[in-house]
Every structure is written in structure tokens, then in C-alpha cells.
Amino acid sequence: MKSTSHAELAILPVDKNDRSIKSKNKLKIFFTKLLRSKTGTVGLLIVLALCIMAMFAPAIAPYDPGKIDTTNMLAPPFWSDGGTLSHILGTDNLGRDILSRIIYGSRISLVVGILSVLVAGVIGVVFGIISGYYGGIVDNLIMRLVDAFLSVPTILFCIVFLTVLDPGLPTLIIVIGVTSWVLYARMIRSETLSLREREYVKAARTMGVSDIQIMKRHILPNVMSSIIVISTLSVASTIITESSLSFLGLGIQPPTVSWGIMLSEGKEYVATSWWLATFPGLAITITVLGIIFLGEWLRDLLDPRSQGSNS
């Protein structure tokens, strides 16, 4: 008996090591697949650069983004005639450094993108699981609500709400989130309709497990991969929505720096000072492409129905 108990105790550390090895192997496989995908790698590098730029903006930016310098108004980029290395991407009509404003603008894009997607995801996932799990009249009511939201463009919904409400960062996040949940609801509902017919769900229901526990323990974990993919791709569209609303004067308000505000301020100088609108536009384009590249790779990796090539 003693030898048996000692043998059993000796196995425990091996089990822990096995779990650790399996976790490391999964992580290794994940990054190996990522590095094999050119678009996935590029997307990850762009997203990482955006995150680093946003988190360490005060240390990276060469100037205060709101600092006005009337002696350097509309200075061109350093490679153009009259440009200097002190303002690599030039200055705007108030002498503010373009590069510094782009760096600080990444903070707004990241915050609005992540928090708006979080709001939309919570609402959409809850409605989607409830709709797919219960079906019947509950499903019909939620789907009719989804149809109503889909009948009007998201940007138009946001314009209406922001016209009535006071514009600002918290309002913008809530409005974009509340008007962007329908994609989650439709996708999660579709998967829940299939999952609720699985044997383990029927067995749990037969054993008297509550509906909330079934949705929490059996439905939600099985739709998590879809949630991750949808959320990643939604961040890109949210950044575009925020920039569009800020461009129209309904989103982020000065003196807070936003890429959309920079585009709005630079549109009147396109003919003479092209860099005012060009560089914020490039920042938006590169960021959105990077997030889309990463999201597409995640979709190919996590969604077994996808036939992407991961190239």
C-alpha cells in the first residue's frame, strides 16, 4: 500500500509538467502558424505597433500635440522644400506637430475601438444566445429588432443619436456600441441553434440544470472563437466610424486629438498643404488594414468552416 501511494504521489508533478508542456506546445503551434501567414504576421505587427504607440505616446511623441507654434505654421515634411527634421511630417495651420498628433490620435482610435466593440459584443452575444436557445416568439422578437437595426445604416443611427446627445468620448463609445450589436446577435444565434441540439445540452437540460447555467457553461464557451473573430474585425469598422463622426464634428471634440478631427481640419488645405490630411488618412488606412489582416487570419485559424489559405 505504501509503495502504491508513493507511486501515485510521484505521478502528480509529472501531470503538472505535462499540462505545462502542452500549454507551451499550443503556444508554439499558434505562433508557428502565425509566422507562416504573411498577412497575419503583418497584421499582428501593425496592431502591436498601434498598441505601443498608444500606451507610450507621451514618451514617443516629440512634442505636445496641442502646442501651438505660430513661427512654424504649415511647415512641410522634412523631405520637401522648407521642411526640417524637427517636424518630420510637418505642422498644421496652428504650427502643431503632425507626427505627435498622429501618435496621440492612436489612443482615441484604440480606446473607442476596443470599448465600443466590448459594448456591442456584450449586447449582441446576450441577445444572440437567448434568441437561439429559446427560439419561438423570443427568437422572432429579437430577430425583428435586428432587422429594424439592419434597415438603417449604423453611421446614420450614430449621427441621429449624437445630434440629440452631447458629443464626447463616453457618448461616442456607447452610441457606436449600441448601434453595432446586430452582427454578433445574428452570428451567435446561428451557432446557438445548432449547439442547443447537441447531446450534452439535452442531457444537462434533462438533469434539471437551469437555462442560465447551460448557456453559461455549454453555449458560451463553444461560441467564444466566433466572438473573438467578430470582435477583431469589428474594431476596424469601429475606427472608421469614429473617424467619420469626428470628421463631421459629432464625435471626439477638440482639444482632444483624433485622426478624424485632423482630417476635418486638413480638408481645407488639401490643395496647398497636402500633408495635413494625407498622413492621418494613411494612419487610418494602415491601422484598419492591419486589424483586418489579423482578423482574417484568426478567422481561418479558429473557424473550421473557413477555407482560408493563411498565406
Side-chain angles (χ1 to χ4, degrees), residues 17-259:
N17 290 333
D18 287 343
R19 286 195 295 269
S20 177
I21 292 172
K22 288 180 180 179
S23 299
K24 291 180 180 179
N25 288 337
K26 288 181 179 179
L27 193 62
K28 182 179 179 180
I29 293 172
F30 178 86
F31 281 105
T32 299
K33 290 182 177 180
L34 177 61
L35 293 175
R36 287 177 181 173
S37 170
K38 296 178 181 178
T39 55
T41 303
V42 171
L44 179 63
L45 291 175
I46 292 174
V47 171
L48 285 177
L50 176 68
C51 293
I52 292 172
M53 191 164 60
M55 288 188 294
F56 301 102
I60 297 174
Y63 298 95
D64 182 338
K67 182 181 179 181
I68 297 175
D69 184 2
T70 56
T71 62
N72 280 311
M73 294 189 298
L74 299 177
F78 77 93
W79 61 83
S80 300
D81 293 337
T84 62
L85 288 174
S86 58
H87 297 285
I88 296 177
L89 299 183
T91 61
D92 64 8
N93 58 313
L94 296 177
R96 297 172 297 190
D97 185 65
I98 296 293
L99 177 59
S100 299
R101 292 177 65 78
I102 288 176
I103 292 173
Y104 272 86
S106 65
R107 285 183 155 186
I108 294 298
S109 295
L110 200 62
V111 168
V112 173
I114 293 176
L115 294 184
S116 296
V117 164
L118 182 61
V119 172
V122 170
I123 298 173
V125 170
V126 170
F127 276 130
I129 292 179
I130 291 175
S131 177
Y133 183 81
Y134 288 108
I137 189 172
V138 174
D139 182 33
N140 288 330
L141 288 174
I142 294 177
M143 286 301 101
R144 297 299 75 76
L145 181 62
V146 168
D147 292 339
F149 270 83
L150 288 175
S151 64
V152 181
T154 300
I155 188 69
L156 186 56
F157 262 127
C158 292
I159 290 174
V160 172
F161 287 137
L162 289 171
T163 302
V164 176
L165 303 172
D166 293 330
L169 181 58
T171 305
L172 183 64
I173 291 171
I174 294 173
V175 168
I176 294 178
V178 169
T179 55
S180 305
W181 60 272
V182 291
L183 177 61
Y184 293 88
R186 293 187 68 181
M187 292 292 294
I188 301 306
R189 168 189 176 270
S190 176
E191 295 197 18
T192 303
L193 286 172
S194 174
L195 290 170
R196 72 176 185 178
E197 301 300 327
R198 299 289 177 88
E199 294 298 328
Y200 56 83
V201 174
K202 292 182 178 179
R205 193 183 297 118
T206 302
M207 294 173 61
V209 180
S210 66
D211 291 339
I212 293 178
Q213 290 299 319
I214 292 175
M215 288 186 279
K216 180 181 177 181
R217 295 179 181 179
H218 300 294
I219 303 297
L220 183 59
N222 285 288
V223 299
M224 191 57 67
S225 60
S226 296
I227 294 173
I228 293 173
V229 173
I230 298 171
S231 298
T232 304
L233 294 172
S234 295
V235 171
S237 61
T238 300
I239 290 175
I240 294 176
T241 301
E242 178 273 318
S243 298
S244 301
L245 293 169
S246 297
F247 179 84
L248 296 173
L250 297 172
I252 303 301
Q253 300 298 304
T256 305
V257 185
S258 165
W259 292 341

